[in-house]
Amino acid sequence: MYYAKLFFQLCVWLALLACLIWYGFRAYIWLSTAEPITPNTAQETRSNVHWLDPEKPLVYTVSASQTLSLRVLTNAIFKQYSALELTSELTTDYAIEYTLLNDSNKVITKHTYHHTSKLALDAEQQKVKQIIENKTSLAVSSGQSFYIKPEQLKQASRIALRLIPEDQSLTGVVVRLHAKISNSVDDKNRAWLKLPVQWRERTINYHTIGVNALSEQEMNNAVTFDWLKLAPQGIPDIDFKTDTLYETLPYHILSYDFESQHIALDKFYTYPNFNASFRILEKSTISARIEGEISNLTLTWIDLAKKLPPKILTIEQAAPNRIRVNDVAPGLIIISSSSVIQTRWWLNDDMPVLPLHSYYYAIDSNLPAHFKVTPNSDLSIEFRGNKGDSANIEVFDEQQRHTVSFSIKLEGLESTFDRAIASDTLRLPITEAERFYVRLPSNAHTVSITGHSMGEQLVGVKLQARMRTFNYQQLLCHSICNLTVNDFTEVGAWFSQKAHNDFEFAQQQRLMSVRIFESPPEPPPEMSFYTGYDLSEKLPRSNVALVQNQPNYFDLQQPYEDYQFRPVSIEDLSLDSLEPSLAARFRLIIKSPQVPYYTEYKLSELNNNLYDEIRAKQAVLYSNIGKQRHWHKQRLFMLKKSTPLRLVFSQRPHSIVLKTYATTLLDEPLLIDTQLSGNIVEHLTDEYTIMKRRYALVEQNPNDAFMLHPSRSALYSYPAITIPINNDVKQLQSITIESEQDIWLSIFEQIDEPQLDSDWWRDEIH
């Protein structure tokens, strides 16, 4: 009986063990054959792609003048496949028909490009080539691409892409389009500095690690060009988004109804109190294609040098829907209209005017924007929100310990120029950008920005950064610079930063696309005064010059002083009618083309023999009587090259102005470095002063000044340098100026109250 029970127990245990082994084996098979799931991370780069349609082509707008080439990237989508099919090679054939169109939508050329695409079966390929739509993974082929060369793009303003299926196994094809835009063909450093920090790191990693390592020439090419991701007309959410060509997947597939109306993205949209603008860098004819009533359109020219008042331009109708304005001087063009009008602009009929844009993160308490920052760097933070909205800025160290925080209230003034781009491409009103500056402490590592909105519209934020010790490098011209200078790279003050959780904003469609327009400069609300800085102790070598100083159009008329002159002719001199007080102060400056180049006379020294001599020499005369006396007599000091000049200040002026001159015509730009020293407001301010600057001054003007010296008169004026001293400087201690060439200069301070001896350096009458 005992052995029977033992045998029965043994059978039960064996049965249980067999069941356990069976189900364990089944579980192992199930786990080993399960499809791996790739988690979404913030480090992934998601790319929006679009279904190609055999009937309705996708239409993209391109700029033939700025696009060096186009790259069309496609991936085939397979039907659902079985495990048996995975053992064989799955391929499919399809073709892309691309049509190039001109401004009138006429076909320039049409071509067909054929592809054979293979299903990506490798596990690593699947990890990065997974296409997701409605949270369902689809089978995707390896990517195919082809280029459209610039020769084909001539005269083209649009490209239409259409799918031609050639295989029943094809479910569809998704596409994305990149335009190759040149930053600078000659200077790769310029392109490199324009890239955000994250893009620089990503490009370096791609090009220098492992099998992706490229040659130096290929590396230079990669950072010299931007690849602009284009969006089909009418596609929401992805307008203007840029990315490098070397993207990782997965894709997020988008499909939309193209029957709905949309506003072309390259058009300027205006209506009452909703203006637009663009700059003209050199004298040119401007033209536009217009949709709307031409008589309701107004164009205003603004002189950015502030010497001439705004002027209404005369519009010429060149065709039923075409307007033109001839010979427009460099400046700012303001477009306004009394009704809804859409315009697209060209310079000299062939250079399209492209609107500017920017992106903001829509933040709230549930989704703040997090940025990784560099210690001891400075931040420029722009907000757009309604009145009463607020934002919090919190700074953390590397261990995520809170170090400092700031609270900001927004004024919410509605902008009459900037506008938001809605998901259906409509232009919507938006508030003015409100900018604040933060100087980070030495232990800063992360910045978190949270918004608190009083209404439905969320607070938008954009963050830019700079190292406070970096130079700000700028070209300066007498008008508007449109030049490229060898061995000098302009370096902007601020560089845009991508949020650490940028993927979350993109995933939740919380990126605000904003079209940016430049508003005209406003006259200063208060009068200020300029006083010359006495350099006689620091720069003992000096001379007197006659310098043209055209006033701003909005400056109040002040009584003329004895040191102010105007060009005259002998016939203009009505000397007999001068009052005794004027006659005593009268001076006549004679600039002669022969030695002596300069002579000066009092009224009592003038006679007929002198007049005959002036006529014989064809001399130019300047006198200090009459109106429109824009030539000022002033003392200039010589600064030798590579010799630092340090000036100490007892108060904080509004700005410091440097006027520089050369006695010879230079073949290269004049290079000047300036550095400020003072007590700086720590942390949050609404203004910011750049402490280190480097300028390249170009466009020497031989007609704006001349030396009052008998043996030499040549003097070439350069553009004035204005260094603002903002409210983030508690006390200005000093400024150091250094030039790479010998120069003559005068330095002014902009102050609130005039000084009794402010014109000592001008009044050189003897």
Side-chain angles (χ1 to χ4, degrees):
M1 188 66 182
Y2 169 77
Y3 291 104
K5 289 182 179 181
L6 184 61
F7 178 76
F8 178 73
Q9 291 176 355
L10 183 61
C11 291
V12 172
W13 283 107
L14 289 174
L16 291 175
L17 182 61
C19 291
L20 184 61
I21 293 174
W22 170 255
Y23 284 107
F25 178 74
R26 294 292 302 271
Y28 169 76
I29 295 297
W30 178 76
L31 290 173
S32 62
T33 58
E35 182 178 351
I37 297 177
T38 303
N40 294 341
T41 67
Q43 283 73 37
E44 288 179 339
T45 298
R46 301 284 164 144
S47 181
N48 290 331
V49 294
H50 304 85
W51 288 106
L52 275 176
D53 193 286
E55 304 297 332
K56 299 178 182 178
L58 292 181
V59 179
Y60 299 77
T61 298
V62 298
S63 172
S65 62
Q66 297 188 5
T67 304
L68 299 181
S69 66
L70 290 175
R71 186 184 184 188
V72 182
L73 303 99
T74 61
N75 291 82
I77 308 301
F78 285 80
K79 66 179 182 178
Q80 293 296 325
Y81 52 85
S82 64
L84 180 61
E85 290 175 313
L86 286 175
T87 60
S88 61
E89 185 177 273
L90 294 178
T91 60
T92 186
D93 296 327
Y94 63 93
I96 305 294
E97 178 190 84
Y98 66 93
T99 306
L100 298 177
L101 310 166
N102 62 12
D103 289 334
S104 303
N105 279 331
K106 293 183 179 179
V107 176
I108 300 175
T109 184
K110 181 182 293 187
H111 296 280
T112 302
Y113 201 97
H114 295 269
H115 285 301
T116 296
S117 196
K118 179 182 177 182
L119 178 64
L121 298 178
D122 183 81
E124 290 301 315
Q125 284 185 309
Q126 282 292 335
K127 186 181 296 183
V128 297
K129 291 186 177 297
Q130 183 183 36
I131 294 188
I132 301 172
E133 184 181 30
N134 296 327
K135 298 182 180 180
T136 302
S137 177
L138 304 178
V140 58
S141 73
S142 56
Q144 307 292 318
S145 66
F146 64 92
Y147 289 88
I148 299 174
K149 297 181 179 180
E151 292 77 13
Q152 296 178 269
L153 294 174
K154 291 180 179 179
Q155 309 301 323
S157 61
R158 292 176 180 84
I159 180 173
L161 302 177
R162 187 177 69 89
L163 171 65
I164 303 177
E166 298 177 340
D167 196 319
Q168 293 183 354
S169 64
L170 183 71
T171 298
V173 171
V174 294
V175 67
R176 57 191 170 128
L177 189 68
H178 287 89
K180 187 178 183 181
I181 307 296
S182 173
N183 276 324
S184 173
V185 176
D186 301 320
D187 186 1
K188 64 177 182 292
N189 295 321
R190 176 173 306 188
W192 184 247
L193 288 172
K194 289 182 180 180
L195 293 176
V197 174
Q198 290 85 351
W199 288 17
R200 298 186 210 177
E201 293 177 352
R202 179 173 164 190
T203 305
I204 289 174
N205 292 338
Y206 182 88
H207 287 297
T208 59
I209 295 178
V211 297
N212 291 324
L214 302 180
S215 66
E216 183 178 355
Q217 180 180 2
E218 291 170 315
M219 178 69 175
N220 293 344
N221 182 71
V223 299
T224 304
F225 298 96
D226 279 340
W227 284 92
L228 178 67
K229 184 184 294 181
L230 302 182
Q233 290 294 289
I235 295 297
D237 298 328
I238 63 166
D239 305 331
F240 317 113
K241 288 185 181 176
T242 59
D243 203 349
T244 53
L245 177 62
Y246 312 103
E247 297 179 77
T248 60
L249 308 180
Y251 288 156
H252 177 63
I253 300 179
L254 302 174
S255 57
Y256 294 97
D257 180 11
F258 286 88
E259 296 297 333
S260 59
Q261 294 293 321
H262 64 271
I263 300 173
L265 300 175
D266 52 2
K267 291 184 179 179
F268 292 70
Y269 187 87
T270 58
Y271 59 82
N273 297 321
F274 211 45
N275 307 317
S277 65
F278 62 90
R279 281 194 176 202
I280 298 179
L281 301 180
E282 55 189 18
K283 187 175 181 180
S284 61
T285 296
I286 60 175
S287 60
R289 188 182 301 277
I290 181 170
E291 296 178 20
E293 185 59 43
I294 296 178
S295 60
N296 294 338
L297 185 70
T298 302
L299 300 181
T300 305
W301 177 82
I302 304 293
D303 179 19
L304 293 176
K306 304 178 185 177
K307 303 303 180 184
L308 299 175
K311 179 177 65 175
I312 303 298
L313 299 178
T314 301
I315 300 175
E316 173 188 338
Q317 185 168 350
N321 62 341
R322 193 87 178 205
I323 59 175
R324 176 189 298 270
V325 182
N326 295 318
D327 299 330
V328 182
L332 183 67
I333 304 299
I334 305 297
I335 310 168
S336 55
S337 60
S338 58
S339 61
V340 174
I341 290 181
Q342 298 180 44
T343 50
R344 188 184 181 198
W345 293 88
W346 288 267
L347 303 179
N348 294 326
D349 294 331
D350 59 357
M351 179 67 70
V353 177
L354 302 178
L356 303 176
H357 70 276
S358 186
Y359 280 102
Y360 292 77
Y361 295 110
I363 57 175
D364 58 14
S365 57
N366 296 321
L367 184 57
H370 304 297
F371 298 89
K372 287 185 177 180
V373 294
T374 304
N376 291 321
S377 63
D378 299 337
L379 305 181
S380 168
I381 308 176
E382 274 190 23
F383 294 96
R384 290 185 186 265
N386 297 317
K387 185 176 182 179
D389 291 354
S390 61
N392 292 333
I393 304 172
E394 296 179 285
V395 182
F396 301 89
D397 62 12
E398 194 167 359
Q399 285 73 40
Q400 290 304 300
R401 292 175 301 198
H402 183 271
T403 60
V404 66
S405 62
F406 311 98
S407 295
I408 294 171
K409 284 285 187 180
L410 302 181
E411 296 182 5
L413 300 177
E414 187 166 307
S415 175
T416 57
F417 282 87
D418 299 343
R419 69 283 312 267
I421 307 293
S423 59
D424 55 1
T425 73
L426 291 179
R427 277 58 162 170
L428 302 177
I430 197 170
T431 55
E432 293 277 6
E434 300 179 47
R435 179 173 290 193
F436 298 89
Y437 303 91
V438 176
R439 296 178 184 268
L440 295 174
S442 58
N443 61 345
H445 181 265
T446 306
V447 171
S448 179
I449 306 176
T450 306
H452 305 281
S453 176
M454 303 294 291
E456 296 182 0
Q457 184 67 42
L458 297 178
V459 176
V461 66
K462 178 176 70 174
L463 184 140
Q464 297 172 299
R466 74 184 304 267
M467 293 299 294
R468 65 187 59 158
T469 56
F470 280 5
N471 263 338
Y472 166 72
Q473 298 194 165
Q474 182 183 11
L475 283 174
L476 281 184
C477 306
H478 284 290
S479 55
I480 303 176
C481 280
N482 187 26
L483 302 170
T484 300
V485 176
N486 294 333
D487 301 325
F488 185 88
T489 300
E490 285 196 278
V491 178
W494 303 100
F495 295 92
S496 295
Q497 304 296 303
K498 182 183 290 186
H500 185 54
N501 55 339
D502 175 84
F503 170 69
E504 296 179 59
F505 284 96
Q507 192 177 44
Q508 298 185 31
Q509 299 184 356
R510 296 270 288 272
L511 292 175
M512 298 169 55
S513 179
V514 180
R515 173 131 327 152
I516 305 294
F517 291 102
E518 182 179 0
S519 55
E522 297 182 358
E526 300 177 358
M527 181 183 297
S528 58
F529 301 88
Y530 292 88
T531 179
Y533 205 96
D534 187 359
L535 304 176
S536 56
E537 294 184 1
K538 297 181 178 295
L539 302 175
R541 188 175 179 186
S542 65
N543 202 358
V544 181
L546 204 63
V547 175
Q548 184 171 202
N549 185 14
Q550 189 78 17
N552 297 324
Y553 73 89
F554 49 76
D555 288 344
L556 297 178
Q557 181 66 50
Q558 300 294 319
Y560 289 108
E561 302 290 346
D562 294 339
Y563 56 79
Q564 292 179 298
F565 287 74
R566 69 183 179 99
V568 295
S569 64
I570 295 179
E571 291 73 16
D572 291 336
L573 294 174
S574 302
L575 305 178
D576 297 335
S577 60
L578 285 180
E579 298 179 5
S581 61
L582 293 177
R585 299 197 302 269
F586 171 82
R587 295 291 186 276
L588 182 69
I589 292 177
I590 301 176
K591 180 187 177 186
S592 173
Q594 306 167 7
V595 178
Y597 296 114
Y598 153 76
T599 52
E600 185 171 338
Y601 295 91
K602 300 178 183 178
L603 179 61
S604 59
E605 298 172 337
L606 302 181
N607 53 56
N608 291 331
N609 292 333
L610 179 61
Y611 291 163
D612 293 339
E613 183 180 348
I614 292 172
R615 292 188 181 96
K617 290 184 177 180
Q618 296 182 342
V620 181
L621 309 180
Y622 298 84
S623 76
N624 62 343
I625 62 172
K627 297 182 179 180
Q628 304 300 321
R629 285 149 59 181
H630 300 151
W631 288 77
H632 294 180
K633 202 183 217 184
Q634 67 185 56
R635 183 164 291 279
L636 306 181
F637 297 85
M638 171 171 268
L639 177 64
K640 301 291 289 184
K641 66 178 181 180
S642 304
T643 304
L645 171 64
R646 184 175 183 270
L647 305 179
V648 179
F649 293 84
S650 59
Q651 60 180 356
R652 179 174 66 87
H654 294 297
S655 66
I656 301 171
V657 181
L658 279 65
K659 278 293 296 178
T660 57
Y661 306 87
T663 55
T664 57
L665 191 61
L666 302 178
D667 296 331
E668 55 191 15
L670 181 62
L671 300 177
I672 292 181
D673 293 302
T674 65
Q675 182 167 355
L676 301 174
S677 175
N679 297 327
I680 305 297
V681 177
E682 294 297 331
H683 306 318
L684 183 71
T685 57
D686 60 352
E687 291 183 350
Y688 183 87
T689 301
I690 300 174
M691 307 302 284
K692 291 180 63 176
R693 294 168 177 260
R694 181 172 173 83
Y695 298 94
L697 308 183
V698 295
E699 293 185 348
Q700 291 174 271
N701 193 332
N703 303 314
D704 277 355
F706 61 91
M707 283 285 192
L708 299 183
H709 195 282
S711 62
R712 64 169 183 267
S713 64
L715 201 60
Y716 300 90
S717 73
Y718 282 92
I721 297 175
T722 300
I723 305 173
I725 313 298
N726 297 308
N727 62 16
D728 61 324
V729 179
K730 295 180 183 178
Q731 174 63 47
L732 180 63
Q733 295 173 346
S734 66
I735 179 174
T736 302
I737 303 164
E738 186 173 351
S739 172
E740 295 192 9
Q741 295 96 346
D742 291 345
I743 60 172
W744 292 83
L745 84 163
S746 55
I747 301 176
F748 317 111
E749 297 178 61
Q750 183 187 7
I751 55 179
D752 290 324
E753 299 294 336
Q755 296 182 359
L756 294 177
D757 59 346
S758 61
D759 293 324
W760 67 268
W761 52 281
R762 296 181 191 247
D763 195 358
E764 295 285 346
I765 294 179
H766 51 270

